[in-house]
Amino acid sequence: MRALARGGVDAAIDTVGTDEAVDVSLALVADRARIATIAAFARVAETGIKALGGGPGADPGTEIRAGAWRELLELLGADKLELVVAATYPLTEVAAAHEFVIAGHAGGKVVLLP
């Protein structure tokens, strides 16, 4: 594994949750504080990696999301970010909007209008 990552690996995020996925991250990333998982919550305590998302003891990312919108709005206003709107629906058609989203990748944001 290390031969494939010649320059080293600075950080890893496990989105699989298997022991193998976590073990590979542990083998490649020296600083366990720079390894996170959104799935392997049972391995967090024993390994010292971070848990993200909605699992037990996980960081839901509230602070990051609370501050991100300001930066995103600045980028959008400076034409450095493109916001793709796939569809708009009146709030009264929220069920149709939900069906559109779960049918597959919408290709952009779905906006509910008052």
Side-chain angles (χ1 to χ4, degrees):
M1 287 179 281
R2 288 198 182 277
L4 296 174
R6 291 187 187 130
V9 176
D10 295 324
I13 183 163
D14 164 49
T15 60
V16 178
T18 64
D19 285 336
E20 179 183 13
V22 173
D23 291 343
V24 168
S25 295
L26 292 169
L28 293 175
V29 180
D31 183 358
R32 291 184 175 196
R34 296 189 51 87
I35 302 172
T37 184
I38 63 167
F41 299 114
R43 299 284 310 269
V44 170
E46 75 175 75
T47 60
I49 64 176
K50 293 181 181 181
L52 304 173
D59 176 358
T62 305
E63 281 185 42
I64 292 169
R65 283 193 302 276
W69 68 269
R70 287 181 181 89
E71 183 176 349
L72 292 172
L73 282 177
E74 286 178 24
L75 292 170
L76 192 60
D79 288 329
K80 294 182 179 179
L81 177 69
E82 179 184 3
L83 178 63
V84 178
V85 177
T88 60
Y89 291 86
L91 190 54
T92 56
E93 294 181 25
V94 68
H98 187 255
E99 287 176 15
F100 177 73
V101 170
I102 64 172
H105 184 40
K109 298 296 181 186
V110 175
V111 179
L112 294 173
L113 302 170

Coordinates of all heavy atoms in Angstrom, one line a residue, residues 5-83:
A5 N 1.4 5.0 -2.4 CA 1.2 6.3 -1.9 C 2.6 6.9 -1.6 O 3.0 7.1 -0.4 CB 0.4 6.3 -0.6
R6 N 3.5 7.0 -2.6 CA 4.9 7.4 -2.4 C 5.1 8.6 -1.6 O 6.0 8.7 -0.9 CB 5.5 7.5 -3.8 CG 5.7 6.1 -4.5 CD 6.5 6.2 -5.7 NE 6.4 4.9 -6.4 CZ 6.1 4.8 -7.7 NH1 5.9 5.8 -8.4 NH2 6.0 3.6 -8.2
G7 N 4.3 9.6 -1.8 CA 4.4 10.9 -1.1 C 3.8 10.9 0.3 O 3.9 11.8 1.0
G8 N 3.2 9.8 0.6 CA 2.5 9.7 1.9 C 1.1 10.1 1.8 O 0.6 10.6 0.7
V9 N 0.3 9.8 2.8 CA -1.1 10.2 2.8 C -1.3 11.1 4.0 O -1.0 10.7 5.1 CB -2.0 8.9 2.9 CG1 -3.5 9.3 3.0 CG2 -1.8 8.0 1.7
D10 N -1.8 12.3 3.8 CA -2.0 13.3 4.9 C -3.3 13.0 5.7 O -3.3 13.3 6.8 CB -2.0 14.7 4.3 CG -0.7 15.1 3.7 OD1 0.3 14.6 4.2 OD2 -0.7 15.8 2.6
A11 N -4.3 12.6 5.0 CA -5.6 12.4 5.7 C -6.4 11.4 4.9 O -6.2 11.1 3.7 CB -6.4 13.7 5.7
A12 N -7.4 10.8 5.6 CA -8.3 9.8 4.9 C -9.7 9.9 5.6 O -9.9 10.2 6.7 CB -7.8 8.4 5.1
I13 N -10.7 9.7 4.7 CA -12.1 9.6 5.2 C -12.7 8.2 4.8 O -12.6 7.9 3.6 CB -13.0 10.8 4.8 CG1 -14.4 10.6 5.4 CG2 -13.0 10.9 3.3 CD1 -15.2 11.9 5.4
D14 N -13.1 7.5 5.7 CA -13.7 6.2 5.5 C -15.2 6.4 5.2 O -15.9 6.8 6.1 CB -13.5 5.3 6.6 CG -14.4 4.0 6.6 OD1 -14.5 3.4 5.5 OD2 -15.0 3.7 7.6
T15 N -15.7 6.0 4.1 CA -17.1 6.0 3.8 C -17.7 4.6 3.6 O -18.8 4.5 3.2 CB -17.4 6.9 2.5 OG1 -16.7 6.3 1.4 CG2 -16.9 8.3 2.7
V16 N -16.8 3.6 3.8 CA -17.3 2.2 3.6 C -17.7 1.6 4.9 O -18.7 1.0 5.0 CB -16.1 1.4 2.9 CG1 -16.5 0.0 2.8 CG2 -15.7 2.1 1.6
G17 N -16.8 1.7 5.9 CA -17.1 1.2 7.3 C -16.6 -0.2 7.6 O -16.9 -0.7 8.6
T18 N -15.9 -0.8 6.6 CA -15.4 -2.1 6.9 C -14.1 -2.0 7.7 O -13.4 -1.0 7.7 CB -15.1 -2.9 5.6 OG1 -14.1 -2.2 4.9 CG2 -16.4 -3.0 4.7
D19 N -13.8 -3.1 8.4 CA -12.5 -3.2 9.1 C -11.3 -3.0 8.2 O -10.4 -2.3 8.5 CB -12.3 -4.5 9.8 CG -13.2 -4.6 11.1 OD1 -13.6 -3.5 11.6 OD2 -13.5 -5.7 11.5
E20 N -11.4 -3.6 7.0 CA -10.3 -3.4 6.0 C -10.1 -2.0 5.6 O -9.0 -1.5 5.5 CB -10.6 -4.2 4.7 CG -9.5 -4.1 3.7 CD -9.9 -4.9 2.4 OE1 -11.0 -5.3 2.2 OE2 -9.0 -5.0 1.6
A21 N -11.2 -1.2 5.4 CA -11.1 0.2 5.0 C -10.4 1.0 6.1 O -9.5 1.8 5.9 CB -12.4 0.8 4.6
V22 N -10.8 0.8 7.3 CA -10.2 1.5 8.5 C -8.8 1.1 8.6 O -7.9 1.9 8.8 CB -11.0 1.2 9.8 CG1 -10.3 1.8 11.0 CG2 -12.4 1.8 9.6
D23 N -8.5 -0.2 8.5 CA -7.1 -0.7 8.7 C -6.2 -0.1 7.6 O -5.0 0.3 7.9 CB -7.0 -2.2 8.7 CG -7.7 -2.8 9.9 OD1 -7.9 -2.1 10.9 OD2 -8.0 -4.0 9.8
V24 N -6.6 0.1 6.4 CA -5.8 0.7 5.4 C -5.5 2.2 5.7 O -4.4 2.6 5.6 CB -6.5 0.6 4.0 CG1 -5.8 1.5 3.0 CG2 -6.5 -0.9 3.5
S25 N -6.5 2.9 6.2 CA -6.3 4.3 6.6 C -5.3 4.3 7.7 O -4.4 5.2 7.7 CB -7.6 4.9 7.0 OG -8.5 5.0 5.9
L26 N -5.4 3.5 8.7 CA -4.5 3.5 9.8 C -3.1 3.2 9.4 O -2.1 3.7 9.9 CB -5.0 2.4 10.9 CG -6.3 2.8 11.6 CD1 -6.7 1.6 12.4 CD2 -6.1 4.0 12.5
A27 N -2.9 2.3 8.4 CA -1.6 1.9 7.9 C -1.0 3.1 7.1 O 0.3 3.2 7.1 CB -1.7 0.7 7.0
L28 N -1.8 3.9 6.5 CA -1.2 4.9 5.6 C -1.1 6.3 6.2 O -0.3 7.1 5.7 CB -2.1 5.0 4.3 CG -2.0 3.8 3.4 CD1 -3.0 3.9 2.2 CD2 -0.6 3.5 2.9
V29 N -1.9 6.6 7.2 CA -2.0 8.0 7.7 C -1.4 8.0 9.1 O -1.9 7.3 10.0 CB -3.4 8.5 7.8 CG1 -3.4 9.9 8.4 CG2 -4.1 8.5 6.4
A30 N -0.3 8.7 9.3 CA 0.4 8.7 10.6 C -0.4 9.3 11.7 O -0.4 8.8 12.8 CB 1.8 9.4 10.4
D31 N -1.0 10.4 11.5 CA -1.8 11.1 12.5 C -3.2 10.6 12.5 O -4.0 11.0 11.6 CB -1.7 12.6 12.2 CG -2.4 13.5 13.3 OD1 -3.0 12.9 14.2 OD2 -2.3 14.7 13.1
R32 N -3.6 9.9 13.5 CA -5.0 9.3 13.6 C -6.0 10.4 13.7 O -7.2 10.2 13.4 CB -5.1 8.4 14.8 CG -4.3 7.1 14.5 CD -4.4 6.1 15.6 NE -3.7 4.9 15.1 CZ -3.9 3.7 15.7 NH1 -4.8 3.6 16.7 NH2 -3.3 2.7 15.3
A33 N -5.7 11.6 14.2 CA -6.6 12.7 14.2 C -7.0 13.2 12.8 O -7.9 13.9 12.7 CB -6.0 13.8 15.0
R34 N -6.3 12.7 11.8 CA -6.5 13.1 10.4 C -7.2 12.0 9.6 O -7.2 12.0 8.4 CB -5.3 13.6 9.7 CG -4.7 14.8 10.4 CD -3.6 15.5 9.7 NE -3.8 15.7 8.3 CZ -4.4 16.8 7.8 NH1 -4.8 17.8 8.6 NH2 -4.5 17.0 6.5
I35 N -7.8 11.1 10.4 CA -8.6 10.0 9.8 C -10.0 10.1 10.4 O -10.2 10.3 11.6 CB -8.1 8.6 10.2 CG1 -6.6 8.4 9.7 CG2 -9.0 7.5 9.6 CD1 -6.0 7.1 10.2
A36 N -11.0 10.1 9.5 CA -12.4 10.2 9.9 C -13.2 9.1 9.2 O -12.9 8.6 8.2 CB -12.9 11.6 9.5
T37 N -14.3 8.8 9.9 CA -15.2 7.8 9.3 C -16.7 8.3 9.4 O -17.0 9.0 10.4 CB -15.1 6.4 10.0 OG1 -16.0 5.5 9.4 CG2 -15.5 6.5 11.5
I38 N -17.5 7.9 8.4 CA -18.9 8.2 8.5 C -19.7 6.9 8.7 O -20.9 6.9 8.6 CB -19.4 9.0 7.3 CG1 -19.2 8.1 6.0 CG2 -18.7 10.3 7.1 CD1 -20.0 8.7 4.8
A39 N -18.9 5.8 8.9 CA -19.6 4.5 8.9 C -19.1 3.5 10.0 O -19.8 2.7 10.5 CB -19.5 3.8 7.5
A40 N -17.8 3.6 10.3 CA -17.2 2.6 11.2 C -17.2 3.1 12.6 O -16.1 3.2 13.3 CB -15.8 2.2 10.7
F41 N -18.4 3.4 13.2 CA -18.4 4.0 14.5 C -17.9 3.1 15.6 O -17.4 3.5 16.6 CB -19.9 4.4 14.8 CG -20.4 5.4 13.8 CD1 -21.4 5.1 13.0 CD2 -19.8 6.7 13.8 CE1 -21.9 6.1 12.0 CE2 -20.2 7.6 12.8 CZ -21.3 7.3 12.0
A42 N -18.0 1.7 15.4 CA -17.5 0.8 16.4 C -16.0 0.9 16.5 O -15.4 0.5 17.6 CB -17.9 -0.6 16.1
R43 N -15.3 1.3 15.6 CA -13.8 1.4 15.6 C -13.3 2.7 16.1 O -12.1 2.8 16.3 CB -13.2 1.2 14.2 CG -13.6 -0.1 13.5 CD -12.8 -1.3 14.0 NE -11.4 -1.2 14.0 CZ -10.5 -1.5 13.1 NH1 -10.9 -1.9 11.9 NH2 -9.2 -1.3 13.2
V44 N -14.1 3.7 16.4 CA -13.7 5.0 16.8 C -12.9 5.0 18.1 O -11.8 5.5 18.2 CB -14.9 6.0 16.8 CG1 -14.5 7.3 17.4 CG2 -15.4 6.2 15.4
A45 N -13.5 4.4 19.1 CA -12.9 4.4 20.5 C -11.6 3.7 20.5 O -10.6 4.2 21.1 CB -13.9 3.8 21.5
E46 N -11.5 2.6 19.8 CA -10.3 1.8 19.9 C -9.1 2.4 19.1 O -8.0 2.1 19.4 CB -10.5 0.3 19.4 CG -10.7 0.2 17.9 CD -10.8 -1.2 17.4 OE1 -11.9 -1.8 17.6 OE2 -9.9 -1.7 16.8
T47 N -9.5 3.1 18.0 CA -8.4 3.6 17.1 C -8.1 5.1 17.3 O -7.0 5.5 16.9 CB -8.8 3.4 15.7 OG1 -10.1 4.2 15.4 CG2 -9.1 1.9 15.3
G48 N -9.0 5.9 17.9 CA -8.7 7.3 18.0 C -9.0 8.1 16.8 O -8.7 9.3 16.7
I49 N -9.7 7.5 15.8 CA -10.1 8.2 14.6 C -11.4 9.0 14.9 O -12.1 8.8 15.9 CB -10.3 7.3 13.4 CG1 -11.5 6.3 13.6 CG2 -9.0 6.6 13.1 CD1 -11.8 5.5 12.4
K50 N -11.7 10.0 14.1 CA -12.9 10.8 14.3 C -14.1 10.2 13.6 O -14.1 9.6 12.6 CB -12.7 12.2 13.6 CG -11.6 13.0 14.3 CD -11.5 14.4 13.6 CE -10.4 15.2 14.3 NZ -10.2 16.5 13.7
A51 N -15.3 10.4 14.3 CA -16.5 10.0 13.7 C -17.3 11.3 13.3 O -17.4 12.2 14.0 CB -17.4 9.3 14.8
L52 N -17.8 11.2 12.0 CA -18.5 12.3 11.5 C -19.9 11.9 11.1 O -20.1 10.7 10.7 CB -17.8 12.9 10.2 CG -16.4 13.3 10.4 CD1 -15.8 13.6 9.0 CD2 -16.3 14.5 11.3
G53 N -20.9 12.8 11.1 CA -22.2 12.4 10.6 C -23.2 12.2 11.7 O -23.1 12.8 12.8
G54 N -24.1 11.3 11.5 CA -25.2 11.1 12.5 C -25.1 9.9 13.4 O -26.0 9.5 14.0
G55 N -23.9 9.2 13.4 CA -23.7 8.0 14.2 C -23.5 8.4 15.7 O -23.4 9.5 16.0
P56 N -23.5 7.3 16.5 CA -23.3 7.6 17.9 C -21.9 8.3 18.3 O -20.9 7.8 17.8 CB -23.3 6.1 18.5 CG -23.1 5.2 17.4 CD -23.5 5.9 16.1
G57 N -22.0 9.4 18.9 CA -20.8 10.1 19.3 C -20.2 10.9 18.2 O -19.1 11.5 18.3
A58 N -20.8 10.9 17.0 CA -20.2 11.6 15.9 C -20.4 13.1 15.9 O -21.4 13.6 16.4 CB -20.8 11.0 14.6
D59 N -19.5 13.8 15.2 CA -19.6 15.2 15.1 C -20.5 15.5 13.9 O -20.1 15.1 12.7 CB -18.2 15.8 14.8 CG -18.2 17.3 14.5 OD1 -19.3 17.9 14.4 OD2 -17.1 17.9 14.3
P60 N -21.6 16.1 14.1 CA -22.6 16.3 12.9 C -22.1 17.4 12.0 O -22.8 17.6 11.0 CB -23.9 16.6 13.6 CG -23.5 17.3 14.9 CD -22.2 16.5 15.3
G61 N -21.0 18.1 12.3 CA -20.5 19.1 11.4 C -21.3 20.4 11.5 O -21.3 21.2 10.6
T62 N -22.0 20.7 12.6 CA -22.9 21.8 12.7 C -22.1 23.1 12.6 O -22.5 24.0 11.9 CB -23.6 21.8 14.1 OG1 -24.3 20.6 14.2 CG2 -24.5 23.0 14.3
E63 N -20.9 23.2 13.2 CA -20.1 24.4 13.1 C -19.6 24.7 11.7 O -19.6 25.8 11.2 CB -18.9 24.3 14.1 CG -19.2 24.6 15.5 CD -18.0 24.6 16.4 OE1 -16.9 25.2 15.9 OE2 -18.0 24.0 17.5
I64 N -19.2 23.7 11.0 CA -18.7 23.8 9.7 C -19.8 24.3 8.8 O -19.6 25.3 8.0 CB -18.1 22.5 9.1 CG1 -16.8 22.1 9.9 CG2 -17.8 22.6 7.6 CD1 -16.3 20.8 9.6
R65 N -21.0 23.7 8.8 CA -22.1 24.1 8.0 C -22.5 25.5 8.3 O -22.9 26.3 7.5 CB -23.2 23.1 8.1 CG -23.0 21.8 7.3 CD -24.2 21.0 7.2 NE -24.8 20.6 8.4 CZ -24.4 19.6 9.2 NH1 -23.4 18.8 8.7 NH2 -25.0 19.3 10.3
A66 N -22.5 25.9 9.6 CA -23.0 27.2 10.1 C -22.1 28.3 9.5 O -22.6 29.4 9.1 CB -23.0 27.3 11.6
G67 N -20.8 28.1 9.3 CA -20.0 29.1 8.7 C -19.8 29.0 7.2 O -19.4 30.0 6.6
A68 N -20.1 27.9 6.7 CA -19.8 27.7 5.2 C -20.7 28.5 4.3 O -20.3 29.0 3.3 CB -20.0 26.2 4.9
W69 N -21.9 28.8 4.7 CA -22.8 29.5 3.8 C -22.3 30.9 3.5 O -22.5 31.4 2.4 CB -24.3 29.5 4.4 CG -24.5 30.3 5.6 CD1 -24.4 29.9 6.9 CD2 -24.8 31.7 5.7 NE1 -24.6 30.9 7.8 CE2 -24.9 32.0 7.1 CE3 -25.0 32.7 4.8 CZ2 -25.2 33.3 7.5 CZ3 -25.3 34.0 5.2 CH2 -25.4 34.3 6.6
R70 N -21.7 31.5 4.5 CA -21.2 32.9 4.3 C -20.1 32.9 3.1 O -20.1 33.7 2.2 CB -20.6 33.5 5.5 CG -21.6 33.9 6.5 CD -20.9 34.5 7.8 NE -21.9 34.8 8.8 CZ -22.4 34.0 9.7 NH1 -21.9 32.8 9.8 NH2 -23.3 34.4 10.6
E71 N -19.2 31.9 3.2 CA -18.1 31.8 2.2 C -18.7 31.4 0.9 O -18.3 32.0 -0.2 CB -17.1 30.8 2.6 CG -15.9 30.7 1.6 CD -14.9 29.7 2.1 OE1 -14.9 29.2 3.3 OE2 -14.0 29.4 1.3
L72 N -19.7 30.5 0.9 CA -20.3 30.1 -0.4 C -21.1 31.3 -1.0 O -21.0 31.5 -2.3 CB -21.3 29.0 -0.2 CG -20.6 27.7 0.2 CD1 -21.7 26.6 0.6 CD2 -19.8 27.1 -0.9
L73 N -21.7 32.1 -0.2 CA -22.4 33.3 -0.8 C -21.4 34.3 -1.4 O -21.7 34.9 -2.4 CB -23.3 34.0 0.3 CG -24.6 33.3 0.6 CD1 -25.3 34.0 1.7 CD2 -25.5 33.2 -0.6
E74 N -20.3 34.5 -0.7 CA -19.3 35.4 -1.3 C -18.7 34.9 -2.6 O -18.6 35.6 -3.6 CB -18.1 35.5 -0.3 CG -18.4 36.4 0.9 CD -17.3 36.4 1.9 OE1 -16.1 36.3 1.5 OE2 -17.5 36.7 3.1
L75 N -18.5 33.6 -2.7 CA -18.0 33.0 -3.9 C -19.0 33.1 -5.0 O -18.7 33.4 -6.2 CB -17.6 31.5 -3.7 CG -16.4 31.3 -2.9 CD1 -16.3 29.8 -2.5 CD2 -15.1 31.8 -3.5
L76 N -20.3 32.9 -4.7 CA -21.4 33.0 -5.7 C -21.5 34.4 -6.2 O -21.6 34.7 -7.4 CB -22.7 32.6 -5.0 CG -23.9 32.3 -5.9 CD1 -23.6 31.3 -6.9 CD2 -25.1 32.0 -5.1
G77 N -21.4 35.4 -5.2 CA -21.5 36.8 -5.6 C -20.3 37.3 -6.5 O -20.5 38.2 -7.3
A78 N -19.2 36.7 -6.3 CA -18.0 37.0 -7.1 C -17.9 36.2 -8.4 O -16.9 36.2 -9.0 CB -16.8 36.8 -6.2
D79 N -18.9 35.5 -8.7 CA -18.9 34.6 -9.9 C -17.8 33.6 -9.9 O -17.3 33.2 -10.9 CB -18.9 35.4 -11.2 CG -20.2 36.1 -11.5 OD1 -21.3 35.6 -11.1 OD2 -20.2 37.2 -12.1
K80 N -17.5 33.1 -8.7 CA -16.4 32.1 -8.6 C -17.1 30.7 -8.3 O -16.4 29.7 -8.1 CB -15.4 32.4 -7.5 CG -14.6 33.7 -7.9 CD -13.6 34.0 -6.8 CE -12.8 35.2 -7.2 NZ -11.8 35.5 -6.2
L81 N -18.4 30.7 -8.2 CA -19.1 29.5 -7.9 C -20.4 29.5 -8.7 O -21.1 30.5 -8.8 CB -19.4 29.4 -6.4 CG -20.3 28.3 -5.9 CD1 -19.5 27.0 -5.9 CD2 -20.7 28.5 -4.5
E82 N -20.7 28.3 -9.3 CA -21.9 28.2 -10.1 C -22.9 27.4 -9.3 O -22.6 26.3 -8.8 CB -21.6 27.5 -11.4 CG -22.8 27.3 -12.3 CD -22.6 26.6 -13.5 OE1 -21.5 26.1 -13.8 OE2 -23.5 26.4 -14.3
L83 N -24.1 28.0 -9.1 CA -25.2 27.3 -8.5 C -26.1 26.8 -9.5 O -26.8 27.5 -10.2 CB -25.9 28.2 -7.5 CG -27.1 27.6 -6.8 CD1 -26.6 26.5 -5.9 CD2 -27.8 28.7 -6.0

